[in-house]
Amino acid sequence: MKNQIVARDFYKNTKHKHELPDINKSIFNGITHKIKKQTTYRDNENERAEILFITSYPPRECGIATYSQDLIKALNNKFSSSLSIKVCALESGNAEYTYPREVKYILNTSVVAEYKKLAFSINKDDGIRIVLIQHEFGFFNRQEDAFLQFLKDLSKPVVIVFHTVLPHPDEKLKLKVRCIAHECESIIVMTHTSEALLMNEYDLSKQKISVIAHGTHLVPHLSENFLKIKYGLKGRKVLTTFGLLSSGKSIETTIEALPAIVKESPEVVFLVIGKTHPEVKKEEGEKYRESLEKLVVQYSLQDHVIFINNYLSLPELLEYLQLTDIYLFTTNDPNQAVSGTFAYAMSCACPIISTPIPHAKEILTEDTGIIFDFRNSQQLAEGVIRLLKDDVLRRSISLNTLQKIVSTAWENSAVAHAMLFAKISNDKIKIQYNFPPINLSHLKQMTTFTGIIQFSKVNQPDISTGYTLDDNARAMVAMCMYFKLTGDEKSLYEIDKYLTFIKSCQQPCGDFLNYVDENHKFTSQNKETNLDDSNGRAIWALGYVLSLDDLLPKEIISEAKAIIEKTLLRIDRIYSTRAMAFTIKGLYFYLSINKSPEKLALLRIFANRLVQMYKHESSGKWDWFESYLTYANSILPEAMLLAWKLTGETIYREIALSSFRFLLSKTFNENGIEVISNRSWLQKGKDAVQFGEQPIDVAYSIMTLSEFYDEFKDDTYLQKMEIAFNWFLGNNRLHQIIYNPCTGGCYDGLEETHANLNQGAESTVSYLMARLTMEKYNKPDSLPKTQLQNKSGKMHLFNRF
């Protein structure tokens, strides 16, 4: 039988064999080389950089196969407009699988000749820019020399991902790893422990190593009680472990600990999820599983252990993890560098008890989990009992775990990989972020019959924080923008709800209160806080509603007009800088459908006040209205621009341009956009304070840039809009997503070392306004067409916290 590298045509279900030219056959020592090439639809393939992953791949059941599939999915979701990810699937022996269409080649790792043939094919493939190899010694242990020669033969840059880095290597292993590393442009490991081993024990250069943590899934955090009912586990305390079963999992450690655990908590059930590892099954059948089942009977634990002998779909697996009270990781291999099952459990906020593998020692601290010794059932039992008896501690660990693991989301892993690809190519690979679908799920989840709730715990609305006029005004603007874009009549319900809330905040004299508690009562904060800015935001929202006079129902327009007319009677008493700017914006929208000389005169009053403030404070290199930059800064130059558009006053235009130019110089740099920190405002003559970046300031910047671009058609504004929007998607100081595509929510801020996981109203609505603004510039010829997504179904919320 002739050796082959296989690439299958998944589009036409036909096989094409192409003989290599005779002149090239000699390099294969006389072995005929046949390649079944895959026919692909190239849609913009020439504009996209092809990255070839060499890896095991589903439907092969293997942890690295799943890892690669998850990473490729994340890369496609975020960067399909600039990257084309293809796969060379690794097989051994006589295994044959039907692969998805991204699989371009198949390498039988047990056949020496195929390595050279594959290298030849990759080198001839002009589309491939970088080769990324998921490495585990077990993949190539039969043909290690052929694998090393394969690396030497490749002419394309190679990135290798070491899934295992063994400590205390002998000289043979050390030389082997060093030889592999020498042929690679870059090395990826998943823990800092592995990085340290490569540097200290294998003598590899730090400059060549990147640490990119094992990816984890963003999950919607459904209700634990709801899921327990769904899976027939109501009233049970659930311990879980999952993964392909083998003796290395040391499941018996937990079974031997269970009698002591059950004695203290009779409601405990232990779920063992996963099929037996295919390679183990080949060698010994179900011997290990059967030994565990006998142990269960021996300890009379039949009512407390459930074997789920299936390879679960990802959504089902994540639901099992979300209903888990404690996740148990009991491997007996001290050299296991990283565990995907461990990472998945953390992403579902499972409190974890683990043996001390490097991954666990790096991630788990006193506030994120418990570590116990290998095979020590007594320590395991003590840890489980402690957590089960202390609900407060368990929930605290759960929340801390989620905060610690969020930076490893697959979306962030995709960002890190894309950045590495660009670096390796010397920036010849241009990374372009995809626009996420417009998703109203979290906004609707945050909205009750009254209005939008102020804050959340993670993605769960926190009704105890009540409501604010600010949030409901912004939410009304966002939903009006959405309705203008889509014409979706379902959104009118939310618009009317937010408008009703605004009306309920209006006082007899026309002004507004801002803070409302969960019982719909005004709080004492209204007496302790200056409410001018809140009043200005309400006028902006009302004005925007009125500008859609030809789109919105007459009842909504009539109600908004009555509210704004009442408040404008006293609005000239406002002197707060941003309140005046928001009021100008609201009046601008109102005047677009009502050419009232009185309202235009009112707009001039506020614009002239801003002019005087600017003249008083601006000097030298400080072109601003105040002696400091605080929050919502871009609304000030935007207000001056809108005033000029209505009045034609040259001074308004000049100040709009100069102040906006100054603001952009303070918020954009080589890292992208870094808005003014909410920790400390930027004082005139002082250096900026980093950290504490808020989504609302990025969103306002995008909206103002849009106004300036639409007026002046300067591409610089458009470029900065894209840079600013990419801040939400991961192009920020920490290279972490701020928008959560799983929930449709937006994290509350970018702190010094992490994103704030809470997804409150301000952040979520701010992202939505930014996303809707960007839709105007979402050109089919440059970005994938966005699919509008309106999920109105009720979600069962995460109740862990």
Side-chain angles (χ1 to χ4, degrees):
M1 181 177 179
K2 296 178 180 179
N3 299 304
Q4 296 179 346
I5 304 171
V6 182
R8 296 171 183 161
D9 183 342
F10 291 98
Y11 295 96
K12 298 182 180 178
N13 295 318
T14 59
K15 297 180 179 179
H16 307 282
K17 298 181 179 180
H18 302 276
E19 293 287 351
L20 289 173
D22 290 342
I23 192 170
N24 293 316
K25 288 185 180 179
S26 60
I27 67 173
F28 302 129
N29 300 319
I31 299 175
T32 303
H33 174 212
K34 296 180 180 180
I35 304 177
K36 288 181 267 182
K37 296 290 286 184
Q38 180 182 11
T39 304
T40 60
Y41 297 118
R42 296 210 43 100
D43 52 73
N44 294 324
E45 289 281 343
N46 292 331
E47 300 173 9
R48 300 191 297 164
E50 183 174 318
I51 313 296
L52 180 68
F53 276 50
I54 299 180
T55 178
S56 59
Y57 205 68
R60 180 174 176 178
E61 294 175 353
C62 162
I64 292 178
T66 304
Y67 171 93
S68 293
Q69 185 180 54
D70 288 339
L71 175 56
I72 289 170
K73 181 180 178 182
L75 283 164
N76 285 334
N77 285 343
K78 291 194 74 69
F79 302 112
S80 61
S81 55
S82 49
L83 298 177
S84 172
I85 311 298
K86 301 298 181 184
V87 175
C88 172
L90 299 178
E91 292 183 355
S92 63
N94 298 319
E96 286 194 8
Y97 301 99
T98 301
Y99 291 103
R101 65 179 188 174
E102 62 265 23
V103 174
K104 188 174 186 177
Y105 300 107
I106 297 170
L107 172 64
N108 188 329
T109 57
S110 43
V111 180
V112 172
E114 289 202 4
Y115 289 88
K116 189 168 284 291
K117 291 187 245 179
L118 178 61
F120 179 82
S121 298
I122 292 172
N123 291 341
K124 285 199 68 176
D125 192 331
D126 293 335
I128 297 173
R129 303 284 290 279
I130 292 173
V131 177
L132 184 144
I133 302 173
Q134 304 290 352
H135 180 275
E136 185 64 72
F137 284 106
F139 285 159
F140 309 106
N141 60 357
R142 297 180 185 176
Q143 302 296 347
E144 291 177 350
D145 292 339
F147 174 67
L148 182 57
Q149 186 60 48
F150 166 72
L151 294 178
K152 293 178 179 179
D153 290 341
L154 286 175
S155 61
K156 307 294 174 78
V158 175
V159 178
I160 197 150
V161 184
F162 282 125
H163 285 257
T164 298
V165 180
L166 295 174
H168 317 302
D170 58 24
E171 287 303 315
K172 183 179 178 181
L173 176 59
K174 182 176 178 180
L175 178 62
K176 189 185 304 181
V177 170
R178 286 181 57 79
C179 288
I180 291 172
H182 181 265
E183 303 302 329
C184 300
E185 190 77 19
S186 183
I187 299 164
I188 295 174
V189 292
M190 298 180 199
T191 67
H192 291 284
T193 301
S194 294
E195 178 190 37
L197 285 174
L198 288 178
M199 291 190 297
N200 300 330
E201 299 192 24
Y202 293 84
D203 301 326
L204 297 184
S205 168
K206 181 179 177 65
Q207 282 67 39
K208 206 168 192 177
I209 304 170
S210 296
V211 179
I212 303 178
H214 192 296
T216 54
H217 293 280
L218 297 172
V219 297
H221 299 301
L222 305 177
S223 164
E224 183 181 306
N225 290 333
F226 165 74
L227 290 174
K228 284 183 176 180
I229 292 170
K230 176 179 177 178
Y231 289 100
L233 296 167
K234 181 180 180 182
R236 306 299 296 268
K237 291 292 186 183
V238 180
L239 314 178
T240 301
T241 194
F242 86 92
L244 294 171
L245 207 60
S246 69
S247 59
K249 299 285 186 183
S250 194
I251 306 299
E252 63 274 13
T253 302
T254 301
I255 295 175
E256 290 166 357
L258 275 176
I261 296 170
V262 170
K263 183 178 179 181
E264 295 292 331
S265 299
E267 71 276 22
V268 160
V269 62
F270 176 41
L271 306 183
V272 183
I273 301 173
K275 296 170 65 176
T276 299
H277 196 293
E279 298 302 318
V280 172
K281 196 169 183 178
K282 279 184 192 176
E283 296 292 327
E284 59 181 49
E286 293 287 1
K287 180 180 177 181
Y288 181 62
R289 183 184 299 275
E290 290 167 359
S291 72
L292 296 176
E293 291 171 344
K294 289 178 182 177
L295 202 58
V296 169
V297 173
Q298 177 183 329
Y299 286 111
S300 301
L301 294 170
Q302 293 92 323
D303 293 334
H304 300 280
V305 180
I306 300 174
F307 290 93
I308 302 175
N309 189 7
N310 293 309
Y311 196 82
L312 300 182
S313 67
L314 179 62
E316 190 175 8
L317 173 60
L318 294 177
E319 287 192 345
Y320 269 110
L321 291 175
Q322 287 175 77
L323 65 79
T324 295
D325 291 282
I326 303 173
Y327 184 80
L328 305 178
F329 185 77
T330 56
T331 181
N332 56 25
D333 180 6
N335 294 322
Q336 182 172 349
V338 70
S339 165
T341 66
F342 182 96
Y344 282 25
M346 289 192 79
S347 72
C348 293
C350 294
I352 294 178
I353 301 179
S354 172
T355 48
I357 65 166
H359 195 184
K361 290 193 288 186
E362 197 164 296
I363 297 269
L364 295 186
T365 57
E366 287 185 2
D367 61 349
T368 56
I370 295 174
I371 292 178
F372 73 102
D373 293 334
F374 294 105
R375 298 186 177 90
N376 193 321
S377 296
Q378 182 179 343
Q379 287 183 7
L380 175 58
E382 290 169 355
V384 170
I385 292 168
R386 177 187 170 203
L387 290 185
L388 288 179
K389 285 188 171 297
D390 192 337
D391 290 347
V392 173
L393 175 61
R394 197 169 70 252
R395 286 171 183 157
S396 174
I397 287 177
S398 180
L399 183 56
N400 292 336
T401 295
L402 191 60
Q403 180 66 73
K404 191 150 191 174
I405 203 68
V406 70
S407 64
T408 68
W410 281 116
E411 288 76 4
N412 292 332
S413 180
V415 170
H417 279 83
M419 290 174 61
L420 181 61
F421 299 153
K423 178 183 176 182
I424 289 171
S425 73
N426 293 317
D427 291 324
K428 290 179 182 177
I429 295 178
K430 303 298 182 184
I431 300 300
Q432 185 178 42
Y433 288 76
N434 296 342
F435 283 8
I438 296 169
N439 185 348
L440 304 181
S441 297
H442 190 57
L443 178 139
K444 292 192 173 185
Q445 197 65 58
M446 291 287 290
T447 301
T448 68
F449 291 109
T450 301
I452 191 165
I453 297 169
Q454 185 175 191
F455 295 126
S456 71
K457 293 180 179 178
V458 189
N459 68 319
Q460 180 178 357
D462 185 359
I463 187 63
S464 69
T465 65
Y467 310 84
T468 67
L469 173 68
D470 288 334
D471 291 330
N472 282 272
R474 282 186 289 258
M476 187 167 73
V477 170
M479 290 308 297
C480 285
M481 293 172 70
Y482 180 77
F483 180 73
K484 182 180 179 181
L485 175 68
T486 67
D488 181 2
E489 293 187 356
K490 293 179 183 177
S491 57
L492 294 175
Y493 177 67
E494 273 77 26
I495 293 171
D496 183 63
K497 186 183 297 182
Y498 301 138
L499 180 61
T500 300
F501 182 88
I502 293 172
K503 181 180 180 181
S504 73
C505 291
Q506 190 168 39
Q507 301 302 291
C509 60
D511 62 346
F512 299 92
L513 298 182
N514 186 41
Y515 300 100
V516 179
D517 67 19
E518 60 183 306
N519 298 314
H520 310 146
K521 305 292 184 182
F522 291 116
T523 73
S524 60
Q525 284 179 278
N526 291 294
K527 298 178 181 179
E528 301 162 358
T529 308
N530 188 312
L531 302 179
D532 284 356
D533 287 5
S534 301
N535 279 255
R537 274 184 279 270
I539 293 170
W540 162 40
L542 293 164
Y544 187 64
V545 168
L546 292 172
S547 73
L548 304 181
D549 178 61
D550 59 337
L551 294 177
L552 292 172
K554 291 181 179 179
E555 295 82 2
I556 289 178
I557 295 297
S558 176
E559 189 77 86
K561 184 176 181 180
I563 299 170
I564 198 171
E565 287 290 352
K566 185 175 181 180
T567 196
L568 289 179
L569 295 174
R570 295 168 55 87
I571 200 65
D572 62 339
R573 301 179 186 183
I574 283 181
Y575 284 86
S576 167
T577 314
R578 281 151 191 77
M580 291 191 294
F582 280 117
T583 299
I584 289 172
K585 194 168 182 178
L587 287 169
Y588 170 83
F589 286 123
Y590 194 3
L591 284 162
S592 69
I593 55 100
N594 181 355
K595 307 299 183 182
S596 162
E598 293 80 11
K599 293 177 181 59
L600 183 59
L602 188 58
L603 180 143
R604 284 180 181 273
I605 289 172
F606 292 124
N608 288 335
R609 288 178 186 172
L610 290 178
V611 168
Q612 293 306 311
M613 293 180 71
Y614 179 84
K615 288 181 176 180
H616 182 264
E617 291 294 344
S618 63
S619 61
K621 297 181 179 180
W622 189 265
D623 295 324
W624 198 243
F625 305 84
E626 301 160 310
S627 61
Y628 43 77
L629 290 170
T630 60
Y631 62 94
N633 295 297
S634 67
I635 191 66
L636 304 183
E638 182 180 352
M640 298 309 296
L641 175 67
L642 298 179
W644 167 68
K645 288 173 68 172
L646 277 178
T647 66
E649 291 285 350
T650 305
I651 187 66
Y652 298 164
R653 180 183 185 274
E654 292 174 353
I655 292 176
L657 288 167
S658 62
S659 62
F660 196 40
R661 189 183 308 116
F662 170 77
L663 178 61
L664 295 177
S665 74
K666 297 297 183 182
T667 53
F668 282 84
N669 55 39
E670 65 276 5
N671 298 323
I673 186 172
E674 294 186 36
V675 292
I676 305 303
S677 170
N678 70 338
R679 293 186 177 187
S680 179
W681 307 133
L682 175 58
Q683 303 291 332
K684 186 176 183 178
K686 304 289 186 181
D687 292 332
V689 175
Q690 286 188 311
F691 321 132
E693 299 169 55
Q694 301 296 294
I696 190 169
D697 285 312
V698 179
Y700 281 157
S701 297
I702 291 168
M703 296 172 80
T704 301
L705 283 162
S706 175
E707 287 288 349
F708 274 75
Y709 174 75
D710 289 348
E711 183 60 35
F712 299 110
K713 303 303 178 187
D714 183 340
D715 285 345
T716 303
Y717 296 132
L718 197 61
Q719 293 163 6
K720 281 181 164 49
M721 282 178 65
E722 184 174 359
I723 290 170
F725 187 72
N726 288 345
W727 180 90
F728 288 102
L729 308 182
N731 187 23
N732 51 53
R733 178 173 43 78
L734 294 182
H735 308 299
Q736 294 183 24
I737 57 168
I738 305 301
Y739 169 67
N740 184 322
C742 176
T743 65
C746 179
Y747 298 141
D748 278 352
L750 189 67
E751 306 301 337
E752 182 174 357
T753 60
H754 63 277
N756 181 336
L757 290 188
N758 296 326
Q759 298 160 50
E762 177 183 291
S763 300
T764 295
V765 173
S766 294
Y767 167 79
L768 186 57
M769 290 191 296
R771 177 65 186 85
L772 290 163
T773 299
M774 294 301 294
E775 188 65 15
K776 291 195 297 182
Y777 312 97
N778 189 9
K779 298 176 182 178
D781 59 343
S782 62
L783 290 171
K785 183 61 181 173
T786 297
Q787 299 176 356
L788 296 178
Q789 181 178 354
N790 179 8
K791 299 179 180 179
S792 57
K794 186 167 180 61
M795 181 184 294
H796 294 273
L797 288 169
F798 188 33
N799 67 352
R800 230 185 248 286
F801 312 126

